[in-house]
Every structure is written in C-alpha cells, then in structure tokens.
Amino acid sequence: MEGGKEQGMLVVTGLMAHQNPLEQLQAKFKEVENGFKAWLDKQSMPVEAAVVTATGAVQGAAIGALMGTLTKDVSSSFPTPPQASLNHQAMASLKQAQALSGAPWVQARNFAVMTGVNAGLACVMKRLRGKEDVQSSMVAAFGSGAMFSLVSGMGGPNQAANAVTSGLFFALIQGVLFQFGQKLSQPAVEDMYYSRTRSMLNSLGLQNYEKNFKKGLLTDNTLPLLTDSALRDVKIPPGPRLLILDHVQSFSSTF
C-alpha cells in the first residue's frame, strides 16, 4: 500500500518536472491573483478602494515611466518657443503637448494619478451601486480625467475649467468605449433565431448557405415547415436542398 503511494507521488513529481516552466509560472500567478481577489472581497469599502487605488497607481506609474522614456528623445528635439510670444490657444496646446511628452518621472506621476483615481472611483461606484455599468464607468473616467488635467497642468491657466472639460472628455470617450465593448461581447440578436439552423448546416457541410436562410427569414421555427419550393426561393441549389430536406425529415421529432 505504501509502495503504491510512493509510486503515485513519483509519477506526480515526474509530471511536474516535465511541465513547462512558463505554464507553472502562469498557474502560480493565477493562484496568487485569485487569492488576492478573494481577500479583497472580504474587506470594507475604504480598504478595498485604497488597495485598488494604490495598485492602479503603481501600474499607471510603470506605464507612464515607459512612455516618458520613449518620448523623451522626441520631445527634446523640439525647441521651446518663448512663452511671451504665444497667445492663449497656442499656450494651451503647448501645455497639452508637454503633459503627454514630459520626463519619465513626470509621466509616471501623471499616469499614476489618472489610473489610480480611475480604479478607486470604479471600485467605490461598484460597491455603492452593486454593479458595473456605463454610469459608474463614466464617473470614474470623469474623475481620472479631471485629476490628470490638474496634476499635469494641461490646458492653460484656468485649471478648474480645464479639469471639468478634461473630465467630461474622458467620460464621453469611456462611455462610448463601454457601450462598444458591450455590443461586441453580446451575440447578435438574429443569431439566436438561427442556432439550430446553423448546427444543421454545419453537420451537412452546407454552412455557406446560412446567409440564404437569413435572407429568406427561414428561422429555427420554420425548420419543420421547410419545402423544396421554400429552399428554391432562397436560391439554394437542388443537391443541398435534397440533403436539407432529408435531414429535416429524419430529425423532425427534435424540432
């Protein structure tokens, strides 16, 4: 009995030794991530918001530092014009360019504030409203945009107005992206009415004729009613028509 256990342990150890090191690292990271999320869900809202904000800020700082390093050489090649010779619009444009092409530590600060505020507000809104929706996402984006404008000095001397404008812009963009992502993640409504049709055509190797069914509005509910003339009306050739009708007749009890 003990020998069998030892042999089983040796087999498991051998399998682990032959496992891809990258897969082991990914599995370990996933385990730590799941444990962290489970711990975070048990915390109070202030603790969770603080931890999420700090985590988001660290990630944003890393991204900002990398961007600052990549854009440092580019921004240094452009001469800085004397500020006295610039009007208010030109000065605002210069500020915006500097906000997006500063030194690595400046970019790290700007992006840390932006991503940290966004993550923290999103966490608070989710706790308060009990769900993640477009309103919560836009509130978080507004806060992050406003804070990014304040810390970066983007837009000129009127910081309050620029913060509101930047916040509204960020919220608008986030709202559009959120809605677009929702539409992409949801299946097309019409596909719900052709699931059995698609399965039948795939099994017969006739998947190219799905568009013909949709064009003629031959939904799943019409499968038991299919006739040769109905398939001919949607321009399906004689051979595929025979296969489809034979399949429908053979499986009529399942429709």
Side-chain angles (χ1 to χ4, degrees):
M1 194 69 180
E2 293 181 357
K5 289 183 179 179
E6 291 179 357
Q7 185 177 1
M9 292 179 64
L10 288 174
V11 172
V12 173
T13 304
L15 290 174
M16 292 179 64
H18 287 86
Q19 189 177 4
N20 191 331
L22 182 59
E23 293 179 354
Q24 291 182 355
L25 183 62
Q26 290 176 341
K28 188 65 177 177
F29 178 79
K30 194 68 176 178
E31 181 182 351
V32 173
E33 183 182 16
N34 292 336
F36 176 74
K37 289 181 178 178
W39 172 82
L40 198 60
D41 289 338
K42 299 177 183 179
Q43 307 307 310
S44 62
M45 185 174 69
V47 173
E48 182 182 7
V51 173
V52 169
T53 300
T55 304
V58 171
Q59 294 175 346
I63 295 173
L66 178 61
M67 289 185 60
T69 302
L70 295 176
T71 60
K72 183 178 180 181
D73 295 334
V74 176
S75 61
S76 61
S77 62
F78 293 98
T80 303
Q83 297 185 6
S85 63
L86 298 179
N87 56 32
H88 291 295
Q89 292 181 349
M91 192 63 193
S93 300
L94 178 61
K95 288 285 187 179
Q96 292 176 357
Q98 290 175 342
L100 298 175
S101 61
W105 73 269
V106 174
Q107 291 287 65
R109 178 202 63 191
N110 294 347
F111 277 82
V113 171
M114 181 176 66
T115 56
V117 171
N118 187 285
L121 287 177
C123 173
V124 171
M125 292 298 296
K126 182 180 178 181
R127 278 292 190 101
L128 292 177
R129 307 184 76 238
K131 59 182 179 179
E132 293 184 30
D133 56 8
V134 64
Q135 287 87 356
S136 299
S137 182
M138 290 180 70
V139 168
F142 177 86
S144 64
M147 289 303 299
F148 179 79
S149 177
L150 291 174
V151 299
S152 65
M154 183 176 65
N158 194 348
Q159 293 187 354
N162 292 324
V164 173
T165 303
S166 298
L168 291 174
F169 177 75
F170 274 56
L172 178 62
I173 296 299
Q174 182 62 30
V176 172
L177 293 176
F178 187 93
Q179 295 287 21
F180 185 69
Q182 288 288 95
K183 289 184 178 181
L184 288 181
S185 63
Q186 295 176 354
V189 176
E190 67 168 12
D191 287 344
M192 297 171 56
Y193 300 102
Y194 296 94
S195 58
R196 285 184 295 175
T197 300
R198 185 182 305 107
S199 176
M200 176 191 69
L201 293 175
N202 287 337
S203 66
L204 297 174
L206 303 175
Q207 56 270 18
N208 291 336
Y209 294 105
E210 182 179 347
K211 60 181 181 297
N212 300 69
F213 275 78
K214 291 182 178 180
K215 185 177 181 180
L217 299 180
L218 299 177
T219 63
D220 291 343
N221 293 333
T222 67
L223 288 179
L225 309 174
L226 285 180
T227 62
D228 185 77
S229 60
L231 295 175
R232 189 188 308 117
D233 288 341
V234 294
K235 295 181 172 51
I236 295 180
R241 290 205 304 267
L242 292 174
L243 292 174
I244 293 171
L245 291 173
D246 179 69
H247 183 92
V248 170
Q249 185 177 5
S250 300
F251 295 92
S252 57
S253 59
T254 63
F255 295 132

